[in-house]
Amino acid sequence: MSRPRKVTPMQPGRRRTAGPSPRRRLTVVAVLLGLASLGLMARAFDVQVVRKGFYQEQGDARFLREVPIAVSRGTIFDRNGEPLAVSTPMVSITAVPSQVLANDDQLPQLAAALGTQPDQLREYLEQRASREFTYLKRQMSPEDAQAVLSLGIPGINGQREFRRYYPSGEVTAHVLGFTNIDDHGQEGLELAFDDWLSGQPGKKRVIRDNKGHIVEDVEQVREPKPGKNLTLSIDRRIQFLAYSELKAAVEKSEADSGTMVILDVKTGEVLAMVNIPTYNPNAVGSSSASARRNRAVTDVFEPGSTIKPILMAAALSSGKFTPTSPAIDTTGGHWFFGGHDIHDTHDYGVLTPTGVITKSSNVGAAHIAMQLDTELMYNTYRAFGFGNSTQSGFPGEASGRLRIGRDWRPLEKAILGYGYGLNATALQLATAYAALGDGGVLHSPTFIKGGQSEATAVIEPGIAREIVDMMETTTQPGGTAAPWAWIANYSVAAKTGTAHKAQAGGYAKDAYGAAFAGLVPASNPRLAAAVMIDNPRKGSYYGGLASGPVFAKVMDGALRLLDIPPDNIGRWYVGGPMQGKNGLIGNKPPDAPNIEEAPVDRATP
């Protein structure tokens, strides 16, 4: 039998303990939170105050940036594949100004490597201290740039770029033009085809360190697209030949300037275009604006007697004239018309239209002009491109000036017959002559090999052939271009032109433009050229004597370089009557001296 358990009664004020009390729990939690807060505050104080510099450097040591990927500009070649403009890799030195200034003791070394003075460099950086990026020197050679980067100065970095180089220098300067520091075209074909040549830079994301150096490529944002190559119609060999002969002629005659354009008659392709003075596109900063001007397309001049073949195109098209009839009476060598004395250098008597071309008679040309319908004469000049842009696409091309025919007054019409009262560029003149050589088909000139050239028939092929035959007499004995424009074993069809230069209030009495334009070989023209020498001061100022030899020497070389077969082997003009394909040129003795046309002053109509 069990024994009963003894129960001890609870004393008053005592409770049974069941576990930790809620109050104690709250106290513990509060203490822990307080300690945690104190720890966070201590950590924040340590990061932001005590070791601020260390963590700032660690933060700056890695940062993400987008940088461009440089692409090379397309190469420009001549028609035979010779490079005329190429892009070479360069390096530009960049800086974070504040970082560079923080290392002031290294500025002298940096300045020496950059080729500048420490004080100038310091001033430059201080002016840009708030920027994160600035160029210190653009487009250094890789070797020179490496000498700068090897100094290891914080904030200094290199950026790859490209710079344009022109192997032919001043010889092709006016055709090609040049690019700026950012490799964009500024003049010439570099400007005209800038979108084609430029390409599109790429873009990538990179991580840079605190010195600005790329430490990791993250991703490519945009793929780079290099520029496209361009093949020109220019023949570098002919270009150099034209440049050499023109330069020699300008220097010999002490002229203000000179220009020459050579075209392929069948296609309108520009084979050469040169100007003197010129400049070095590899050092554009040392040149003047005047030297950089492409006078062949921007400068206009009154063509003088080189317009007479175009007048003959209108005359023969009218049906009133043929190469041999009717006779034009120039007896006395003067025609007083509209209060103005139109005169020749000699009394040529009675001339045929061919004789007017051969002797370059201003009196004869004026008589023919006054017998033509004004609208026909105007439309013919216009059809050959005078007063219009050639549509070559060359930047800054001038259209020239030709007043509307219905506004011509009688004297103006007469003097338009021998090349006053209008103006044109050398490219326009060469284009007009090329149309005569291609059976009356006018091609818009192009600078691209195989480029699409707009072709327009402006006169009948038979008339064009007759005019070329008439022009050939100019280079035969008694003509204004003989013997200076003779080319051994080749026939030449050409026309000289000498005109007083316009000035404020009228025309200069002792300043001339000496022009010469022609076709070779005359029997089947392949090349057309125009030469203009502005204000020759020494020697002759006549077109035949000043510009004719340039034409002959350059075309002689061009014919051989292009392997164009001779059409006049062993044929030399030796006295005897002046019997050409279109009959006797006039009634003057066959041994008459070779006289250039008269550079007659043009009165204001």
Side-chain angles (χ1 to χ4, degrees), residues 334-343 411 414-415 418 420 507 600-605:
H334 292 267
W335 184 29
F336 293 93
F337 179 79
H340 184 65
D341 178 16
I342 300 173
H343 65 272
L411 179 57
I415 63 178
Y418 54 90
Y420 285 93
Y507 284 80
V600 182
D601 281 307
R602 180 188 78 112
T604 302

Side-chain angles (χ1 to χ4, degrees), residues 25-57:
R25 292 174 183 171
L26 290 174
T27 301
V28 172
V29 170
V31 171
L32 291 175
L33 289 175
L35 291 174
S37 298
L38 289 173
L40 290 173
M41 292 177 62
R43 179 62 176 169
F45 181 82
D46 178 68
V47 170
Q48 298 182 30
V49 179
V50 178
R51 292 195 289 176
K52 176 182 178 181
F54 171 80
Y55 286 106
Q56 184 69 50
E57 290 179 2

Side-chain angles (χ1 to χ4, degrees), residues 313-447:
L316 300 187
S317 298
S318 72
K320 297 180 179 181
F321 297 89
T322 68
T324 58
S325 64
I328 312 295
D329 188 2
T330 68
T331 303
H334 292 267
W335 184 29
F336 293 93
F337 179 79
H340 184 65
D341 178 16
I342 300 173
H343 65 272
D344 296 329
T345 55
H346 283 71
D347 175 4
Y348 296 121
V350 178
L351 296 173
T352 64
T354 299
V356 170
I357 292 292
T358 310
K359 295 299 184 183
S360 196
S361 170
N362 294 327
V363 174
H367 275 296
I368 292 174
M370 295 311 297
Q371 296 180 56
L372 295 178
D373 177 74
T374 299
E375 185 177 2
L376 172 64
M377 182 175 166
Y378 168 76
N379 288 340
T380 302
Y381 278 34
R382 194 84 176 179
F384 274 91
F386 294 98
N388 297 318
S389 168
T390 67
Q391 303 301 318
S392 70
F394 200 93
E397 180 183 357
S399 297
R401 176 183 178 274
L402 175 66
R403 290 217 315 153
I404 298 176
R406 64 172 177 267
D407 296 333
W408 292 356
R409 285 170 282 183
L411 179 57
E412 183 178 10
K413 181 179 179 181
I415 63 178
L416 276 165
Y418 54 90
Y420 285 93
L422 77 162
N423 55 41
T425 65
L427 180 59
Q428 285 177 312
L429 186 60
T431 301
Y433 273 60
L436 292 172
D438 196 29
V441 177
L442 182 76
H443 296 271
S444 57
T446 176
F447 290 89

